[in-house]
Amino acid sequence: MPELPEVETIARGLANAVAGKTVAAVAVRLPKVAVGPAGAPFEPGLIGQTLVRVGRRGKWVVIELASGSRLAVHLRMTGQLVVQASGTTEPHPYTNVLLTFTDGTRLCFADVRQFGRMRLLAAGDPWDADGGIEPLSEGFTSDAFVSMLVGRRTPIKTFLLDQTRIAGIGNIYACEALWEAGIRPSRPSHTLSRPARRRLHGAVRNVLQRAIEARGTSVDDYVDAEGLRGGFQNQLAVYGRLGEPCPRCGKPIVRTVIGQRGTWWCRGCQK
Ligand SMILES: [Zn+2]
């Protein structure tokens, strides 16, 4: 599933490709994936609208429209946003929603497994994804993170995945940040020392930033808006590396299950 770095990469690519374009036509091929504002139909709110800005909130791509409404897209497991040049005859395979712009270019929302969603939000709708703080924002300070863990008994890895606390971290970057900080993923959050919390805060930001620079991690179907794979899979220390030597201490990476999610870590250097 695309996490913060992948969604950020997609959003930046889309911003280059579609900002300023105006929607001429909307074709919804699978109604369940396109949700209109509060009971209103999806298509009419989009036709004639100019895409002003493309950004990201948590794991959502958020496209701002000239009317003040927003189109929020969650890719879930296999969703892709693919821009097609004018004159392309066939939409991208598994396209569920197709936007055609006035210049003839198109945006395909394609999704093999159909879990992804497009939500059109009316102007003024207070929707804010799941509400967690953005881990690369100025507000996510080391002190703020230290305080967030007070009294939290959930395993630290599960805490990192909670989108109502911190937005955008998924399984890959939770595993990698905990490895970088030298922290065992199953540790109850409140038992982390203050220095360990500060290390983890730094590791979360560092891992996410490095992954954005590498244009995300492609361990599955992930491609960006230009159809390109990311590069961070070549820098992963633990995720998906069962049995391989830990880059820091050489002990074999293990896989356990925490909160029903596969978790890769090193018994040698994560305490
Ligand atoms: Zn190790």
Side-chain angles (χ1 to χ4, degrees):
M1 183 188 290
E3 305 179 26
L4 186 155
E6 291 78 42
V7 179
E8 180 70 28
T9 304
I10 290 165
R12 289 180 185 182
L14 271 186
N16 290 332
V18 302
K21 292 184 191 277
T22 300
V23 179
V26 181
V28 176
R29 297 169 152 201
L30 187 66
K32 73 173 182 184
V33 310
V35 182
F42 181 80
E43 294 92 328
L46 273 176
I47 294 169
Q49 283 296 314
T50 299
L51 280 49
V52 176
R53 216 181 339 264
V54 183
R56 178 193 59 75
R57 174 72 178 109
K59 298 180 192 173
W60 293 76
V61 173
V62 181
I63 302 172
E64 294 176 31
L65 307 174
S67 63
S69 54
R70 293 176 292 170
L71 183 62
V73 187
H74 201 301
L75 302 168
R76 294 292 192 92
M77 308 292 288
T78 54
Q80 297 180 342
L81 288 165
V82 180
V83 179
Q84 292 187 315
S86 152
T88 313
T89 48
E90 282 298 310
H92 196 77
Y94 304 103
T95 290
N96 296 329
V97 180
L98 180 65
L99 306 189
T100 304
F101 300 109
T102 51
D103 64 0
T105 58
R106 304 195 290 195
L107 177 61
C108 305
F109 179 39
D111 191 354
V112 177
R113 296 188 57 183
Q114 307 181 351
F115 291 121
R117 292 291 180 269
M118 274 189 155
R119 288 186 59 184
L120 184 60
L121 305 156
D125 187 316
W127 177 91
D128 188 27
D130 293 314
I133 190 167
E134 285 288 335
L136 294 177
S137 68
E138 286 187 8
F140 186 65
T141 61
S142 178
D143 286 343
F145 184 63
V146 166
S147 305
M148 286 170 81
L149 301 188
V150 172
R152 300 281 158 207
R153 290 169 186 281
T154 50
I156 185 60
K157 187 195 169 207
T158 305
F159 183 90
L160 292 177
L161 295 178
D162 182 349
Q163 302 297 300
T164 68
R165 306 281 174 193
I166 304 172
I169 302 175
N171 210 20
I172 295 175
Y173 300 106
C175 289
E176 292 296 308
L178 287 162
W179 178 83
E180 185 174 314
I183 294 167
R184 180 164 47 87
S186 60
R187 281 271 297 275
S189 304
H190 73 288
T191 66
L192 267 64
S193 68
R194 184 171 282 255
R197 294 179 195 193
R198 293 198 188 281
R199 275 205 315 281
L200 181 55
H201 171 266
V204 162
R205 289 172 66 110
N206 183 43
V207 164
L208 293 173
Q209 200 60 59
R210 286 196 295 123
I212 290 172
E213 284 162 19
R215 304 175 58 82
T217 300
S218 288
V219 287
D220 44 31
D221 300 326
Y222 163 70
V223 291
D224 67 16
E226 292 146 270
L228 302 172
R229 286 167 60 82
F232 197 69
Q233 62 276 11
N234 302 317
Q235 299 182 47
L236 296 172
V238 288
Y239 181 85
R241 304 185 64 114
L242 176 64
E244 293 181 39
C246 167
R248 187 163 48 211
C249 75
K251 294 232 165 63
I253 303 299
V254 297
R255 179 185 184 278
T256 56
V257 175
I258 297 172
Q260 295 159 1
R261 305 295 301 277
T263 303
W264 288 264
W265 59 289
C266 174
R267 288 189 200 280
C269 61
Q270 289 181 253
K271 303 295 179 187

